[in-house]
Amino acid sequence: NGVLDLPGIVVLAKRGGKVYHKSFGKDCIPLDAQFRIFSMTKVLTSCVVLMLRERGVLNLEDPVSEYIPSFDRSWDVIKPGQDEQVEYRSFLTGQTSQLNYSRTPAEQPILIKHLLAECSGIGYDQWTDIQLWDGTPFGVQYGVVNQLRRAAGCGGFSSNCIIGQPCTLGEFCDGIAAAGVLAEQPGRFSYGQGALVAGRVVEVAFARLTGRCERFSAIMEELLFGPLGMESAGFYLQDGDPRANKIPTLYGAVLRDPTDKLAGCEVRPYKDLSLIHISEPTRLLSISYAVFCLKKKKNQIEKSKKALKFKEKINTIQRTSYEYSI
């Protein structure tokens, strides 16, 4: 639509016997390109958890602490307040803010079903970044929680890091537990790392079932990818793997001016955005949001019905999220 300079996209649609398969964009992406699926791995993780439930080695009502002993502790839920303060650096703007917060005890333990339903309280930090950037009321607690986890060592996650952490799933989960803080009460919507913790639960439950200690990626291959013939699927590709050449360049949208969201963005390869080191100001912006800010003048932005509808949609989602609990 002329608003965003899209690097490339592959479309595959099928209805009945008719198939539409075509690529678009300035980059010539082959039709057999392999793409990173990001949060869709959450769905695959949930599938494996349910497979292990069918085999009788776990129950969705089980406390996570039955599989990860470090989770057997009291947890604090972070909320806006004035009792404590932490310094937080936004990955969207690179700017540093002082976040004020208070604590309240968790009302129940984290259950396996909470991990699958994104209700574990272990949310991403990006929700605070969006609030600091444009005022969308997601809450400062997400940034506070992740900052406290980083201070505790392994277990800190940043939404702008796609290559993971230099530790095992078990070590990472123990790091989350060491900080002992959550962004929401267990059972309330808090989109984030629940599936990551579920991956560790899978490792432990699989070992109890088979007597073998395997990495989560190997378990996924054995229980899911292999039986379904998903030959292209994998967590990491080793040097020389022919599949690596089929992965297209990953792009990100960068704010031209972190103090003025109306200044627009430019799209650059992800590897050029200094996204691996959270100490560097990255000013990363999701392309889905940037589409409303690119190549428009200020008065056009203010009058844009599309942008206003998008903002209202976000606010509606936020209001609804607090009503959703299990």
Side-chain angles (χ1 to χ4, degrees), residues 136-254:
T136 303
F138 285 119
V140 300
Q141 64 268 28
Y142 294 93
V144 171
V145 164
N146 279 278
Q147 191 62 33
L148 294 177
R149 289 187 191 132
R150 293 186 192 111
C154 188
F157 176 85
S158 178
S159 300
N160 65 331
C161 180
I162 65 170
I163 62 170
Q165 304 288 336
C167 59
T168 66
L169 269 180
E171 292 169 342
F172 192 87
C173 291
D174 287 344
I176 291 176
V181 289
L182 302 172
E184 300 285 351
Q185 289 285 350
R188 304 187 71 181
F189 183 71
S190 48
Y191 187 81
Q193 302 177 75
L196 185 152
V197 178
R200 177 55 182 165
V201 171
V202 166
E203 289 183 338
V204 175
F206 183 83
R208 293 177 182 177
L209 175 67
T210 65
R212 294 186 285 119
C213 295
E214 300 283 358
R215 293 174 65 92
F216 179 60
S217 55
I219 298 171
M220 293 284 281
E221 178 67 34
E222 180 174 334
L223 298 185
L224 198 64
F225 299 157
L228 293 178
M230 299 170 64
E231 298 177 355
S232 296
F235 276 71
Y236 296 99
L237 301 182
Q238 302 296 327
D239 292 342
D241 192 310
R243 294 176 294 178
N245 295 325
K246 295 183 178 182
I247 300 177
T249 300
L250 181 64
Y251 285 82
V254 184

Side-chain angles (χ1 to χ4, degrees), residues 265-283:
C265 308
E266 61 176 303
V267 178
R268 292 190 295 177
Y270 200 92
K271 63 182 178 63
D272 296 338
L273 299 180
S274 301
L275 296 181
I276 303 305
H277 307 290
I278 61 174
S279 60
E280 296 294 328
T282 59
R283 306 199 304 274

